[in-house]
Every structure is written in structure tokens, then in C-alpha cells.
Coordinates of all heavy atoms in Angstrom, one line a residue:
M8 N 9.0 65.7 219.3 CA 9.9 64.8 220.1 C 11.3 65.1 219.7 O 11.7 65.4 218.6 CB 9.4 63.4 219.7 CG 10.5 62.4 219.5 SD 10.0 60.7 219.1 CE 9.4 60.9 217.5
K9 N 12.1 65.0 220.8 CA 13.6 65.1 220.6 C 14.3 63.9 221.2 O 13.9 63.5 222.3 CB 14.1 66.4 221.2 CG 15.5 66.7 221.0 CD 15.8 68.1 221.5 CE 17.3 68.4 221.3 NZ 17.9 68.9 222.4
I10 N 15.3 63.4 220.5 CA 16.0 62.2 221.0 C 17.3 62.7 221.6 O 18.0 63.5 221.0 CB 16.3 61.2 219.9 CG1 15.0 60.8 219.2 CG2 17.0 60.0 220.4 CD1 15.3 60.0 217.9
E11 N 17.6 62.2 222.8 CA 18.9 62.5 223.4 C 19.7 61.2 223.6 O 19.1 60.2 224.0 CB 18.8 63.2 224.7 CG 18.3 64.6 224.6 CD 18.3 65.4 225.9 OE1 18.5 64.8 226.9 OE2 18.0 66.6 225.8
V12 N 21.0 61.3 223.3 CA 21.9 60.1 223.5 C 22.9 60.5 224.5 O 23.6 61.5 224.4 CB 22.6 59.7 222.2 CG1 23.4 58.4 222.4 CG2 21.7 59.6 221.1
D13 N 23.1 59.6 225.5 CA 24.2 59.8 226.5 C 25.4 59.0 225.9 O 25.5 57.8 226.0 CB 23.8 59.3 227.8 CG 24.9 59.6 228.9 OD1 26.0 59.7 228.5 OD2 24.5 59.6 230.1
L14 N 26.3 59.7 225.3 CA 27.4 59.1 224.7 C 28.4 58.5 225.7 O 29.2 57.6 225.3 CB 28.2 60.1 223.7 CG 27.3 60.5 222.5 CD1 28.1 61.5 221.7 CD2 27.0 59.3 221.6
D15 N 28.3 58.8 226.9 CA 29.1 58.2 228.0 C 28.6 56.7 228.2 O 29.4 55.9 228.6 CB 29.1 58.9 229.3 CG 29.8 60.3 229.2 OD1 30.8 60.4 228.3 OD2 29.5 61.2 229.9
L16 N 27.3 56.5 227.9 CA 26.7 55.2 228.2 C 26.7 54.4 226.9 O 26.9 53.1 226.9 CB 25.3 55.3 228.7 CG 25.1 55.9 230.0 CD1 23.6 56.1 230.3 CD2 25.8 55.1 231.1
C17 N 26.6 55.0 225.7 CA 26.4 54.3 224.5 C 27.7 53.5 224.2 O 28.8 54.0 224.3 CB 26.2 55.3 223.3 SG 26.2 54.5 221.7
Q18 N 27.5 52.2 223.8 CA 28.7 51.4 223.4 C 28.6 50.9 222.0 O 29.3 49.9 221.6 CB 28.7 50.2 224.4 CG 29.0 50.6 225.8 CD 28.9 49.5 226.8 OE1 28.8 48.3 226.5 NE2 29.1 49.8 228.1
G19 N 27.7 51.5 221.2 CA 27.7 51.1 219.8 C 27.1 49.8 219.5 O 27.4 49.2 218.4
H20 N 26.2 49.3 220.3 CA 25.6 48.0 220.1 C 24.8 47.9 218.9 O 24.6 46.8 218.2 CB 24.8 47.5 221.3 CG 25.5 47.3 222.5 ND1 26.4 46.2 222.7 CD2 25.6 48.0 223.7 CE1 26.9 46.3 223.9 NE2 26.5 47.3 224.5
G21 N 24.1 49.0 218.5 CA 23.4 49.1 217.3 C 22.0 48.6 217.3 O 21.3 48.4 216.3
M22 N 21.5 48.3 218.6 CA 20.1 47.9 218.7 C 19.2 49.0 218.1 O 18.1 48.8 217.5 CB 19.7 47.6 220.1 CG 20.4 46.4 220.7 SD 20.2 44.9 219.8 CE 18.5 44.5 220.3
C23 N 19.5 50.2 218.4 CA 18.7 51.4 218.0 C 18.7 51.4 216.5 O 17.6 51.7 215.9 CB 19.3 52.7 218.6 SG 21.0 52.9 218.2
E24 N 19.8 51.2 215.8 CA 19.8 51.2 214.3 C 18.9 50.1 213.8 O 18.2 50.3 212.8 CB 21.2 51.0 213.8 CG 21.3 51.1 212.3 CD 22.7 51.1 211.8 OE1 23.7 51.2 212.6 OE2 22.8 50.8 210.6
M25 N 18.8 49.0 214.4 CA 17.9 47.9 213.9 C 16.5 48.3 214.1 O 15.7 48.0 213.2 CB 18.2 46.6 214.7 CG 19.5 45.9 214.3 SD 19.5 44.2 214.7 CE 19.6 44.2 216.4
E26 N 16.2 49.1 215.1 CA 14.8 49.5 215.3 C 14.4 50.7 214.5 O 13.2 50.8 214.0 CB 14.5 49.8 216.8 CG 14.7 48.6 217.7 CD 13.8 47.5 217.4 OE1 12.7 47.7 216.8 OE2 14.2 46.3 217.8
A27 N 15.3 51.6 214.2 CA 15.0 52.8 213.5 C 16.2 53.2 212.6 O 17.0 54.1 212.9 CB 14.7 53.9 214.5
P28 N 16.4 52.5 211.5 CA 17.6 52.7 210.7 C 17.7 54.1 210.0 O 18.7 54.6 209.6 CB 17.6 51.6 209.7 CG 16.2 51.1 209.7 CD 15.7 51.3 211.1
D29 N 16.5 54.8 210.0 CA 16.5 56.1 209.4 C 17.0 57.1 210.4 O 17.4 58.3 209.9 CB 15.0 56.5 209.0 CG 14.4 55.7 207.9 OD1 15.2 55.0 207.2 OD2 13.2 55.8 207.7
L30 N 17.1 56.8 211.6 CA 17.4 57.8 212.7 C 18.7 57.6 213.3 O 19.4 58.5 213.8 CB 16.3 57.8 213.7 CG 14.9 58.0 213.3 CD1 13.9 57.9 214.4 CD2 14.7 59.3 212.5
F31 N 19.2 56.3 213.4 CA 20.4 56.0 214.1 C 21.4 55.3 213.2 O 21.0 54.4 212.4 CB 20.1 55.0 215.3 CG 19.2 55.6 216.3 CD1 17.8 55.2 216.3 CD2 19.6 56.5 217.3 CE1 16.9 55.7 217.2 CE2 18.7 57.0 218.2 CZ 17.4 56.6 218.2
E32 N 22.7 55.6 213.4 CA 23.7 54.9 212.7 C 24.8 54.5 213.7 O 25.5 55.4 214.2 CB 24.3 55.7 211.6 CG 25.3 55.0 210.7 CD 25.8 55.9 209.5 OE1 25.0 56.5 208.9 OE2 27.1 55.9 209.4
A33 N 24.9 53.2 214.0 CA 25.8 52.8 215.0 C 27.2 52.8 214.4 O 27.4 52.3 213.3 CB 25.4 51.4 215.5
E34 N 28.1 53.3 215.2 CA 29.5 53.3 214.8 C 30.3 52.4 215.7 O 29.7 51.7 216.5 CB 30.0 54.8 214.7 CG 29.2 55.6 213.7 CD 29.7 57.0 213.6 OE1 30.0 57.6 214.6 OE2 29.7 57.5 212.5
R35 N 31.6 52.4 215.6 CA 32.4 51.5 216.4 C 32.0 51.4 217.9 O 31.7 50.4 218.4 CB 33.8 51.8 216.2 CG 34.7 50.7 216.6 CD 36.2 51.0 216.3 NE 36.4 51.0 214.9 CZ 37.1 50.0 214.3 NH1 37.6 49.0 215.0 NH2 37.3 50.1 213.0
E36 N 32.0 52.6 218.5 CA 31.8 52.6 220.0 C 30.7 53.6 220.4 O 30.6 53.9 221.6 CB 33.1 52.8 220.8 CG 34.0 51.7 220.7 CD 35.3 51.9 221.4 OE1 35.5 53.0 221.9 OE2 36.1 51.0 221.5
S37 N 30.0 54.1 219.4 CA 29.0 55.1 219.7 C 28.0 55.1 218.6 O 28.0 54.3 217.7 CB 29.6 56.5 219.9 OG 30.1 57.0 218.7
V38 N 27.0 56.0 218.7 CA 26.0 56.1 217.7 C 25.9 57.5 217.1 O 26.2 58.5 217.9 CB 24.6 55.6 218.3 CG1 24.1 56.7 219.3 CG2 23.6 55.4 217.2
K39 N 25.6 57.6 215.9 CA 25.3 58.9 215.3 C 23.8 59.1 215.1 O 23.2 58.2 214.5 CB 26.1 59.0 213.9 CG 25.9 60.3 213.2 CD 27.0 60.6 212.2 CE 26.9 59.7 211.0 NZ 27.9 60.0 210.0
L40 N 23.3 60.2 215.6 CA 21.9 60.5 215.4 C 21.8 61.1 214.0 O 22.3 62.2 213.7 CB 21.5 61.5 216.4 CG 20.8 61.0 217.7 CD1 20.4 62.1 218.6 CD2 19.6 60.1 217.4
L41 N 21.0 60.5 213.1 CA 20.8 61.0 211.8 C 19.7 62.1 211.8 O 19.7 63.0 210.9 CB 20.4 59.9 210.8 CG 21.4 58.7 210.7 CD1 20.9 57.7 209.8 CD2 22.8 59.2 210.3
D42 N 18.8 62.0 212.7 CA 17.7 63.0 212.9 C 17.3 63.0 214.4 O 16.7 62.0 214.9 CB 16.5 62.6 212.0 CG 15.4 63.6 212.1 OD1 15.5 64.6 212.8 OD2 14.4 63.4 211.3
S43 N 17.7 64.1 215.1 CA 17.4 64.1 216.5 C 16.0 64.6 216.8 O 15.6 64.5 218.0 CB 18.5 65.0 217.2 OG 18.3 66.3 216.8
Q44 N 15.3 65.1 215.8 CA 14.0 65.6 216.0 C 13.0 65.1 215.0 O 12.4 65.8 214.2 CB 14.0 67.2 216.0 CG 14.8 67.7 217.2 CD 14.7 69.2 217.2 OE1 15.3 69.9 216.4 NE2 14.1 69.8 218.2
P45 N 12.8 63.8 215.0 CA 11.9 63.2 214.0 C 10.5 63.5 214.3 O 10.1 63.8 215.4 CB 12.2 61.7 214.2 CG 12.6 61.5 215.6 CD 13.4 62.8 215.9
D46 N 9.7 63.4 213.2 CA 8.2 63.7 213.4 C 7.6 62.5 214.1 O 8.2 61.4 214.3 CB 7.6 64.1 212.1 CG 7.6 63.0 211.1 OD1 7.3 61.8 211.5 OD2 7.9 63.3 209.9
S47 N 6.3 62.7 214.5 CA 5.7 61.7 215.3 C 5.5 60.3 214.6 O 5.2 59.3 215.3 CB 4.4 62.2 215.9 OG 3.6 62.6 214.7
S48 N 5.6 60.3 213.3 CA 5.4 59.0 212.6 C 6.5 58.0 213.1 O 6.4 56.8 212.8 CB 5.4 59.2 211.1 OG 6.7 59.6 210.7
H49 N 7.6 58.5 213.6 CA 8.7 57.7 214.1 C 8.6 57.3 215.5 O 9.5 56.6 216.1 CB 10.1 58.4 213.9 CG 10.5 58.5 212.4 ND1 10.2 59.6 211.7 CD2 11.1 57.6 211.6 CE1 10.7 59.4 210.5 NE2 11.2 58.2 210.4
L50 N 7.5 57.7 216.2 CA 7.5 57.5 217.7 C 7.6 56.1 218.1 O 8.4 55.7 219.0 CB 6.2 58.1 218.2 CG 6.0 58.0 219.7 CD1 7.2 58.7 220.5 CD2 4.7 58.6 220.2
A51 N 6.9 55.2 217.4 CA 6.9 53.7 217.8 C 8.3 53.2 217.7 O 8.8 52.4 218.5 CB 5.9 52.9 217.0
D52 N 9.0 53.5 216.6 CA 10.3 53.0 216.3 C 11.3 53.5 217.4 O 12.1 52.8 217.9 CB 10.8 53.5 214.9 CG 10.1 52.8 213.8 OD1 9.4 51.8 214.1 OD2 10.2 53.3 212.7
V53 N 11.2 54.8 217.7 CA 12.1 55.4 218.7 C 11.8 54.8 220.1 O 12.7 54.5 220.8 CB 11.9 57.0 218.7 CG1 12.8 57.6 219.8 CG2 12.3 57.6 217.4
E54 N 10.5 54.6 220.4 CA 10.2 54.0 221.7 C 10.9 52.6 221.8 O 11.4 52.2 222.8 CB 8.7 53.9 221.9 CG 8.1 55.3 222.2 CD 6.6 55.3 222.4 OE1 6.0 54.3 221.9 OE2 6.1 56.2 223.1
R55 N 10.8 51.8 220.7 CA 11.5 50.5 220.7 C 13.0 50.6 220.9 O 13.6 49.9 221.6 CB 11.1 49.7 219.5 CG 9.8 49.0 219.5 CD 9.6 47.9 218.5 NE 10.0 48.4 217.2 CZ 9.2 49.0 216.3 NH1 7.9 49.3 216.7 NH2 9.6 49.4 215.2
A56 N 13.6 51.6 220.2 CA 15.0 51.8 220.3 C 15.4 52.2 221.7 O 16.4 51.6 222.2 CB 15.5 52.9 219.3
V57 N 14.6 53.0 222.4 CA 14.9 53.4 223.8 C 14.8 52.1 224.6 O 15.6 51.9 225.5 CB 13.9 54.5 224.2 CG1 14.0 54.7 225.7 CG2 14.2 55.8 223.5
R58 N 13.7 51.3 224.4 CA 13.5 50.2 225.3 C 14.6 49.1 225.1 O 15.0 48.5 226.1 CB 12.1 49.6 224.9 CG 11.7 48.5 225.9 CD 10.2 48.0 225.5 NE 9.3 49.0 225.1 CZ 8.6 48.9 224.0 NH1 8.6 47.8 223.2 NH2 7.8 49.9 223.6
Y59 N 15.1 48.9 223.9 CA 16.0 47.8 223.7 C 17.5 48.2 223.7 O 18.3 47.4 223.6 CB 15.7 47.2 222.3 CG 14.3 46.5 222.3 CD1 13.4 46.7 221.3 CD2 13.9 45.7 223.3 CE1 12.2 46.1 221.2 CE2 12.7 45.1 223.3 CZ 11.8 45.3 222.3 OH 10.6 44.7 222.3
C60 N 17.7 49.5 223.9 CA 19.1 49.9 224.1 C 19.7 49.3 225.3 O 19.2 49.5 226.4 CB 19.2 51.4 224.2 SG 20.9 52.0 224.7
P61 N 20.7 48.4 225.2 CA 21.2 47.7 226.4 C 21.9 48.5 227.5 O 22.0 48.1 228.6 CB 22.2 46.7 225.8 CG 22.5 47.2 224.4 CD 21.4 48.1 224.0
T62 N 22.2 49.7 227.1 CA 22.9 50.6 228.1 C 22.0 51.7 228.6 O 22.5 52.6 229.3 CB 24.2 51.1 227.6 OG1 23.9 52.0 226.5 CG2 25.1 50.0 227.1
Q63 N 20.8 51.8 228.1 CA 19.8 52.8 228.5 C 20.4 54.2 228.2 O 20.3 55.2 229.0 CB 19.5 52.8 230.0 CG 18.3 51.8 230.2 CD 18.7 50.7 231.2 OE1 19.3 51.0 232.2 NE2 18.4 49.5 230.8
A64 N 21.0 54.3 227.0 CA 21.7 55.6 226.6 C 20.7 56.5 225.9 O 21.1 57.7 225.7 CB 22.9 55.2 225.7
L65 N 19.6 56.0 225.6 CA 18.6 56.9 224.8 C 17.5 57.4 225.6 O 17.0 56.6 226.5 CB 18.1 56.1 223.6 CG 19.1 55.6 222.6 CD1 18.4 54.7 221.6 CD2 19.7 56.7 221.9
R66 N 17.0 58.6 225.3 CA 15.8 59.0 226.0 C 15.0 59.9 225.0 O 15.7 60.6 224.2 CB 15.9 59.6 227.3 CG 16.6 60.9 227.4 CD 16.9 61.3 228.8 NE 17.3 62.7 228.9 CZ 16.5 63.7 229.4 NH1 15.3 63.4 229.9 NH2 16.9 64.9 229.4
I67 N 13.7 60.0 225.2 CA 12.9 60.9 224.4 C 12.5 62.1 225.3 O 12.1 61.9 226.4 CB 11.6 60.2 224.0 CG1 11.9 59.0 223.1 CG2 10.7 61.2 223.2 CD1 10.7 58.1 222.8
V68 N 12.7 63.3 224.7 CA 12.4 64.5 225.4 C 11.2 65.1 224.7 O 11.2 65.3 223.5 CB 13.5 65.5 225.4 CG1 13.1 66.8 226.1 CG2 14.8 64.9 226.0
E69 N 10.0 65.2 225.3 CA 8.9 65.8 224.7 C 9.1 67.3 224.6 O 9.6 67.9 225.5 CB 7.6 65.4 225.5 CG 7.3 63.9 225.7 CD 7.0 63.3 224.3 OE1 6.6 64.0 223.4 OE2 7.1 62.1 224.2
E70 N 8.6 67.8 223.5 CA 8.8 69.3 223.4 C 7.5 70.0 223.4 O 6.5 69.4 223.1 CB 9.5 69.6 222.1 CG 10.9 68.9 222.0 CD 11.8 69.6 221.0 OE1 11.4 69.6 219.8 OE2 12.8 70.1 221.4
Ligands
SF4_12 S1 21.4 50.7 221.2 FE1 22.2 52.1 222.8 S2 24.3 51.5 223.1 FE2 23.7 50.6 221.2 S3 24.3 52.1 219.6 FE3 22.2 52.6 220.2 S4 22.3 54.1 221.8 FE4 24.3 53.1 221.6

């Protein structure tokens, strides 16, 4: 799995960091991906981050 962030949409709300703090670090107006290719053990956390991102800036790309 690969995570993609559209930084034009991201506003740094930090919902993703709450769902998966090992993978996302919300900054003032954007997010830093700490691991863009996490293993499948993170799938449920990443799916919640994608679902709850208020600007729909996140997506999962299957590899
Ligand atoms: S939840 Fe969405 S808008 Fe907020 S920091 Fe994460 S990616 Fe950006």
C-alpha cells in the first residue's frame, strides 16, 4: 500500500495524525508523511485517516 497526499487540499487539520500517529504528522497548514509505504498492519488506521480527512486529501494506492 502507498499513501498519497494532495497538499493542495490538505489544511493541516490533523485528523489523520489522530488515526495513525505513526504515519502522519500534522503541521501548521499541511501534513508530513512519516511513512508513505506502511505495511498492511496499518491498513485499518490508514483507511480511517482517509475516511475522516475533512478535505479528502488522502488516498490509498494499491501496489
Ligand atoms: S486530516 Fe487531511 S487535511 Fe488534515 S492534516 Fe491530514 S491530510 Fe491534511
Side-chain angles (χ1 to χ4, degrees):
M8 140 179 69
K9 183 167 179 235
I10 305 169
E11 288 187 351
V12 185
D13 186 336
L14 291 176
D15 290 335
L16 294 176
C17 175
Q18 296 176 1
H20 292 290
M22 297 300 287
C23 54
E24 183 177 343
M25 285 201 291
E26 298 300 337
D29 293 346
L30 306 179
F31 301 100
E32 185 176 314
E34 299 181 322
R35 192 178 292 255
E36 291 180 353
S37 66
V38 69
K39 182 158 66 174
L40 265 181
L41 303 178
D42 182 357
S43 66
Q44 295 184 290
D46 63 45
S47 57
S48 67
H49 289 95
L50 181 59
D52 291 345
V53 175
E54 286 179 338
R55 279 198 308 278
V57 170
R58 189 176 321 133
Y59 296 131
C60 171
T62 64
Q63 276 119 49
L65 298 175
R66 70 186 193 111
I67 298 171
V68 180
E69 299 295 340
E70 299 201 300

